């Protein structure tokens, strides 16, 4: 019999200290769907063969890898499952696309890589790295809604542009870009077009042929699949250098024995997402809209960040004046509400969000930003619980803030 430890007791006390636990950080990661876990388990046990092996143990898992590849292709409208390359994460997929496209060309300072000012760090910092290692870097700004102007991208192109990378759905404010129009301008110049769809795949309809992209990144754990597995769509005819070299795995495009359980889970997650996307999108958007209405209606001095319509159904980003987002996040956590101040990949950094900075939001307001991101498992009861707790948290936090006065926010110049 297992003996209870102090850690066990502390965890039990923590669980019992909340009347409800609410997870609204689905842009950071989602729960693994029960059907996904069930599909994965055999490949963590009896079916342990290497998919590159010619014998039965290899062939039995190779067929499931290829079946999963078909489900990924179907989710994004790819013509051929062979255009899907498995890798270890969305970040690796972004790196593969951007670095692999850039290194088609000499590192002599003449070739350019273009990205927007609101990219995920997996793209933004990769392009920054390339800018220090033999390539020119061009950053396209955004408007107050975080929208990239396709004409701005078009104007930035020249005869030595190696690749353009503009994200499909933003992870912080949820804005959706007009990738189809951007890609048309890029393709007219014969330049490779990549989009990071890690946050949007499985949540809104995506068709790579309609979008016109050459490269598209997505990841399993954002759509109720497992962590540690991602994919890159590479349109037939698009040439990129492999990021990881070695054996002939993934048709020579990504070396390393495939993560079979993860890939099987990814395939199942894509299959499920395709079937329930319309219903999930409607349900999740209703939760987001209700929370937005109540926060803006019940808490004074709050602003919505991002476009009110052109955005993912999952995402609500607000700035609450005269409070620190980090403090708010901690207070929410102490009340059983898990949310974020921005991207999980930026946690631990005290720097203000580069996305909100690009939108020209004042720094003192940026620091009060919170991101609520909904998923399949959320309910209207979750929204009700958040609104039972959040107004009081804001009130008590503002009461001790030097930025809050008796009549509302104190202007920085008056401090």
């Amino acid at each position: 019999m297992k003996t209870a430890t102090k850690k066990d007791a502390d965890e039990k006390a923590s669980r019992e200290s909340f009347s409800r636990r609410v997870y609204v950080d689905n842009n950071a990661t989602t729960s693994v769907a029960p059907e996904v876990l069930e599909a994965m388990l055999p490949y963590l046990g009896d079916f342990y063969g290497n998919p590159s092996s010619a014998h039965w143990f290899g062939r039995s898992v190779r067929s499931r890898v290829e079946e999963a590849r078909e489900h990924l292709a179907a989710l994004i409208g790819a013509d051929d499952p062979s255009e899907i390359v498995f890798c270890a994460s969305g970040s690796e997929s972004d790196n593969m696309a951007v670095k692999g496209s850039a290194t088609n060309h000499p590192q002599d300072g003449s070739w350019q890589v273009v990205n927007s000012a609101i990219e995920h760090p997996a793209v933004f910092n990769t392009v920054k790295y390339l800018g220090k290692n033999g390539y020119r870097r061009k950053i396209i700004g955004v408007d107050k809604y975080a929208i990239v102007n396709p004409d701005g991208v078009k104007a930035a192109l020249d005869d030595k542009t190696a690749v353009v990378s503009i994200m499909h759905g933003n992870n912080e404010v949820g804005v959706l870009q007009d990738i189809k129009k951007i890609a048309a301008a890029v393709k007219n110049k014969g330049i490779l077009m990549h989009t990071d769809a890690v946050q949007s795949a499985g949540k809104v309809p995506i068709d790579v042929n309609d979008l016109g992209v050459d490269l598209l990144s997505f990841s399993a754990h954002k759509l109720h699949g497992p962590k540690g597995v991602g994919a890159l769509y590479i349109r037939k005819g698009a040439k990129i250098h492999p990021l990881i070299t070695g054996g002939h795995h993934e048709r020579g495009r990504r070396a390393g024995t495939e993560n079979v359980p993860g890939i099987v889970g990814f395939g199942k997650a894509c299959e499920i997402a395709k079937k329930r996307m319309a219903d999930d999108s409607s349900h999740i958007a209703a939760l987001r809209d209700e929370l937005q209405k109540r926060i803006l209606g019940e808490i004074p001095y709050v602003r919505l960040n991002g476009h009110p319509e052109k955005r993912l159904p999952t995402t609500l980003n607000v700035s609450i004046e005269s409070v620190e987002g980090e403090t708010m996040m901690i207070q929410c956590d102490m009340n059983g509400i898990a949310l974020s101040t921005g991207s999980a990949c930026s946690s631990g950094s005290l720097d203000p969000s580069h996305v909100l900075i690009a939108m020209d939001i004042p720094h003192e307001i940026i620091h009060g930003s919170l991101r609520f991101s909904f998923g399949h498992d959320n309910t209207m009861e979750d929204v009700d619980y958040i609104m039972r707790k959040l107004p009081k948290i804001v009130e008590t936090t503002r009461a001790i803030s030097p930025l809050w006065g008796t009549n509302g926010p104190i202007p920085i110049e008056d401090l």
Side-chain angles (χ1 to χ4, degrees):
M1 180 182 294
K2 180 181 175 182
T3 303
T5 64
K6 183 179 185 300
K7 182 180 178 182
D8 294 330
D10 289 344
E11 289 178 351
K12 183 174 185 294
S14 177
R15 286 195 300 271
E16 293 175 347
S17 64
F18 309 121
S19 59
R20 187 180 188 92
R21 280 185 179 272
V22 174
Y23 181 81
V24 279
D25 201 17
N26 286 275
N27 282 12
T29 196
T30 57
S31 61
V32 176
E35 306 96 315
V36 170
L37 179 59
E38 183 180 3
M40 292 173 64
L41 287 176
Y43 300 90
L44 291 164
D46 293 340
F47 295 92
Y48 54 84
N50 186 323
S52 296
S53 299
H55 49 62
W56 179 86
F57 278 92
R59 295 196 310 273
S60 64
V61 297
R62 168 56 61 185
S63 63
R64 288 305 305 274
V65 168
E66 297 310 317
E67 181 183 330
R69 204 184 306 272
E70 291 173 3
H71 286 307
L72 268 69
L75 181 68
I76 63 169
D79 290 332
D80 191 331
S82 70
E83 295 175 308
I84 302 296
V85 177
F86 289 112
C87 57
S89 64
S91 291
E92 185 188 330
S93 177
D94 284 333
N95 272 260
M96 191 189 312
V98 177
K99 286 183 180 176
S101 299
T103 52
N104 280 331
H105 308 283
Q107 291 177 259
D108 60 5
S110 66
W111 286 90
Q112 174 179 247
V113 179
V114 177
N115 69 292
S116 82
I118 61 165
E119 298 298 312
H120 186 277
V123 168
F124 198 85
N125 289 336
T126 298
V127 178
K128 185 177 180 181
Y129 167 86
L130 291 169
K132 295 178 179 179
N133 289 275
Y135 298 93
R136 290 183 291 127
R137 181 189 187 198
K138 180 66 176 179
I139 302 173
I140 308 299
V142 297
D143 66 13
K144 65 180 182 179
Y145 296 117
I147 298 289
V148 176
N149 186 339
D151 290 335
V153 177
K154 184 177 180 179
L157 306 178
D158 61 25
D159 292 338
K160 284 200 168 183
T161 301
V163 62
V164 174
S165 181
I166 306 292
M167 73 192 322
H168 187 244
N170 183 262
N171 52 300
E172 290 194 38
V173 297
V175 66
L176 288 164
Q177 304 295 344
D178 189 349
I179 297 299
K180 183 175 181 177
K181 190 170 183 178
I182 293 170
V186 173
K187 296 305 294 173
N188 190 49
K189 292 279 191 177
I191 299 165
L192 288 176
M193 175 71 201
H194 168 249
T195 191
D196 175 346
V198 168
Q199 205 56 249
S200 53
K203 300 172 185 176
V204 294
I206 290 176
D207 186 310
V208 290
N209 292 307
D210 182 59
L211 291 177
V213 297
D214 300 296
L215 307 159
L216 181 143
S217 298
F218 55 130
S219 181
H221 78 106
K222 304 295 188 179
L223 45 84
H224 297 283
K227 298 172 184 64
V229 58
L232 177 65
Y233 160 79
I234 306 176
R235 183 181 295 279
K236 280 191 174 180
K239 304 295 184 183
I240 68 169
H241 281 196
L243 187 67
I244 299 176
T245 55
H248 297 287
H249 311 87
E250 295 298 291
R251 296 174 175 84
R253 297 171 295 185
R254 199 274 189 182
T257 301
E258 294 89 346
N259 170 11
V260 176
I263 288 170
V264 169
F266 197 176
K268 189 65 176 179
C270 288
E271 180 186 11
I272 295 168
K274 186 172 176 61
K275 289 178 180 177
R276 73 185 190 193
M277 189 186 304
D279 289 341
D280 269 5
S281 179
S282 177
H283 163 69
I284 291 168
L287 301 180
R288 178 204 64 192
D289 292 347
E290 178 65 15
L291 181 60
Q292 176 181 315
K293 182 182 74 173
R294 294 187 62 180
I295 287 177
L296 297 181
E298 298 176 28
I299 302 175
Y301 299 101
V302 179
R303 62 171 289 161
L304 174 68
N305 297 322
H307 199 281
E309 297 173 358
K310 298 176 183 177
R311 56 176 167 162
L312 293 165
T314 54
T315 309
L316 172 63
N317 189 304
V318 296
S319 288
I320 302 173
E321 292 192 45
S322 304
V323 296
E324 285 286 339
E326 204 75 22
T327 302
M328 296 284 294
M329 184 182 71
I330 293 169
Q331 290 296 319
C332 285
D333 183 41
M334 292 172 64
N335 281 273
I337 303 167
L339 47 71
S340 174
T341 57
S343 169
C345 299
S346 299
S347 63
S349 171
L350 296 178
D351 295 332
S353 160
H354 72 285
V355 173
L356 301 184
I357 287 174
M359 295 164 63
D360 204 25
I361 298 173
H363 280 223
E364 63 270 21
I365 296 177
I366 288 174
H367 280 295
S369 66
L370 294 176
R371 182 189 71 181
F372 303 85
S373 48
F374 292 92
H376 172 78
D377 300 325
N378 288 118
T379 66
M380 198 60 76
E381 286 74 20
D382 292 338
V383 173
D384 291 337
Y385 183 79
I386 291 169
M387 291 310 298
R388 285 204 303 273
K389 299 292 184 178
L390 187 60
K392 184 64 176 177
I393 291 172
V394 173
E395 181 183 343
T396 55
T397 305
R398 279 175 169 169
I400 58 173
S401 171
L403 300 176
W404 186 256
T406 54
N407 296 317
I410 300 174
I412 292 293
E413 58 270 19
D414 292 344
L415 292 176

